[in-house]
Amino acid sequence: MDFVTKTYDSEAHVTYCAAKKISDLYPNSKFYIYEGGYDGGLNNENREKISNIKNTKVINWKEPYEFNEEVEFFETHISRLESIIKETTYLNYIINSLVGYEYDRLEQYNMKRYDYLYRRKPLVILDIANSIDGNIAWIDADVVVLRNIDELFQYDYDIGATVRNKYTEIKRDGYRDLDPASLSTGVLIFKTNSENICGFVNSWLTEISSLTLTKIREQTAVKNLFEHSNEDIFESYYNEGHLKTESGNLKTKIFPADIYNHFKLESGVNPNKHKVLHFPQKESSLQINKDLISDICDGNIRKWYRE
């Protein structure tokens, strides 16, 4: 099983730690680290530092041409609208925020920016799938594999994802729909060949395009695909489903995020339970988390231990 991510400078310290851990835990695996494109990627120092880790391959990558056209379009409008707002007096700001359209348009374009950034995830996975035989795990740039996760590869499935809460917990108080954020695409396991990976990702991209624009519709799309595979798949961990794609029927499976995509870091870390750590929403930039990441790299995780 190999690993892949897309990183940039603000998450370089996490990616460096992730690369070191993967090199230690899986010395015969490859860690493909994509950088470059819209967010600028890594600076020379970070690129060299990460590239020097054994089994790590840094790949300079640019978004497909049609994506570059899209980003040029909305960034031009964002710059213009931000300039207008900057030059607007406070009184006019109040008036325009009530009856104007410039602020609404700015919010819409900013949402397009987020959507653009998140949609690069399936594109990177599609790109690497065309270069390997299969069997690869996606991890976000703010994710660190803390311990061996070999048991995930012993199950029979093609596409695995993590769910942050049991479905029964999310349904409390009459709330019947699974929150898309509860299924996290921060960790995705592709235990299948490259053809099936491409088949799933193409279904993912199609589902994204069918959804109303939101910041996390790439995540909502995966949640929808897993529900298409089995409408009851989120009733309990380790449930399975079958998803029809252009490459054939793929078997899906869900795993507990508390073990394989742990993000409640304020309560500490239990290395015996939390095997994959996730620092979401730029929390990796907090000093306490920077210290945690540094200690993980140095093998000093014990000081952060919590039951």
Side-chain angles (χ1 to χ4, degrees):
M1 178 68 70
D2 294 323
F3 298 81
V4 62
T5 193
K6 169 70 175 74
T7 194
Y8 38 93
D9 265 335
S10 62
E11 299 291 358
H13 61 301
V14 191
T15 303
Y16 174 77
C17 182
K20 284 193 67 175
K21 291 300 297 181
I22 288 172
S23 180
D24 291 341
L25 294 168
Y26 294 98
N28 297 320
S29 295
K30 286 283 188 182
F31 187 17
Y32 300 97
I33 299 174
Y34 281 65
E35 60 95 18
Y38 171 63
D39 52 29
L42 300 170
N43 63 36
N44 291 336
E45 181 181 355
N46 284 329
R47 187 181 301 109
E48 182 178 2
K49 183 179 179 181
I50 292 172
S51 297
N52 286 335
I53 299 175
K54 183 182 176 183
N55 303 335
T56 297
K57 183 176 181 180
V58 176
I59 300 171
N60 185 261
W61 180 77
K62 288 187 177 181
E63 297 84 355
Y65 177 74
E66 60 271 19
F67 263 58
N68 287 327
E69 281 192 324
E70 180 180 341
V71 73
E72 288 175 5
F73 170 78
F74 65 69
E75 284 296 349
T76 298
H77 285 278
I78 287 174
S79 297
R80 184 182 67 82
L81 291 170
E82 287 178 339
S83 176
I84 291 173
I85 291 172
K86 185 177 181 180
E87 296 172 1
T88 301
T89 64
Y90 185 67
L91 177 60
N92 284 339
Y93 172 84
I94 295 174
I95 295 172
N96 279 296
S97 65
L98 293 174
V99 300
Y101 61 91
E102 298 289 8
Y103 300 98
D104 289 337
R105 291 176 67 193
L106 178 60
E107 183 178 357
Q108 182 76 359
Y109 284 127
N110 270 319
M111 191 174 295
K112 285 181 178 289
R113 177 192 278 166
Y114 276 103
D115 175 64
Y116 176 87
L117 291 171
Y118 291 140
R119 276 188 293 141
R120 295 181 308 165
K121 185 183 300 185
L123 292 177
V124 167
I125 296 171
L126 194 62
D127 187 79
I128 195 63
N130 289 314
S131 305
I132 61 173
D133 294 330
N135 294 334
I136 196 160
W138 165 273
I139 60 173
D140 278 359
D142 49 10
V143 167
V144 175
V145 180
L146 188 61
R147 292 191 59 201
N148 186 297
I149 53 174
D150 281 351
E151 67 276 11
L152 287 184
F153 311 135
Q154 296 173 5
Y155 295 97
D156 179 26
Y157 64 96
D158 296 297
I159 315 295
T162 63
V163 180
R164 290 181 175 173
N165 302 99
K166 287 187 177 180
Y167 191 60
T168 51
E169 294 173 354
I170 298 169
K171 284 168 51 177
R172 66 185 181 274
D173 299 326
Y175 184 68
R176 299 197 59 80
D177 294 325
L178 179 67
D179 184 347
S182 297
L183 184 150
S184 171
T185 56
V187 177
L188 293 170
I189 309 295
F190 297 91
K191 187 174 173 281
T192 188
N193 59 47
S194 58
E195 181 182 0
N196 285 338
I197 296 173
C198 291
F200 177 83
V201 173
N202 285 331
S203 295
W204 184 1
L205 290 168
T206 300
E207 182 69 18
I208 290 173
S209 298
S210 73
L211 298 174
T212 302
L213 177 66
T214 65
K215 289 183 179 180
I216 60 169
R217 66 174 177 168
E218 61 87 15
Q219 196 156 256
T220 305
V222 174
K223 171 252 181 183
N224 289 351
L225 291 178
F226 271 67
E227 281 190 319
H228 294 335
S229 74
N230 174 4
E231 63 180 11
D232 296 321
I233 194 168
F234 299 114
E235 289 290 350
S236 63
Y237 298 141
Y238 303 100
N239 271 357
E240 299 175 351
H242 291 85
L243 179 69
K244 185 179 293 186
T245 71
E246 63 186 32
S247 63
N249 289 322
L250 305 183
K251 184 179 287 187
T252 59
K253 195 172 186 70
I254 61 167
F255 301 100
D258 196 41
I259 301 175
Y260 302 110
N261 197 352
H262 181 65
F263 70 102
K264 294 182 178 179
L265 301 169
E266 66 277 3
S267 59
V269 176
N270 182 342
N272 297 320
K273 181 180 180 182
H274 309 135
K275 293 192 169 188
V276 180
L277 306 184
H278 194 168
F279 301 85
Q281 302 295 323
K282 301 188 181 300
E283 287 187 9
S284 64
S285 62
L286 299 176
Q287 188 57 52
I288 187 170
N289 286 334
K290 284 186 175 181
D291 293 341
L292 169 58
I293 292 163
S294 177
D295 283 339
I296 290 173
C297 281
D298 295 337
N300 297 327
I301 187 65
R302 189 70 189 175
K303 64 182 285 188
W304 300 90
Y305 181 87
R306 300 291 187 277
E307 286 292 347

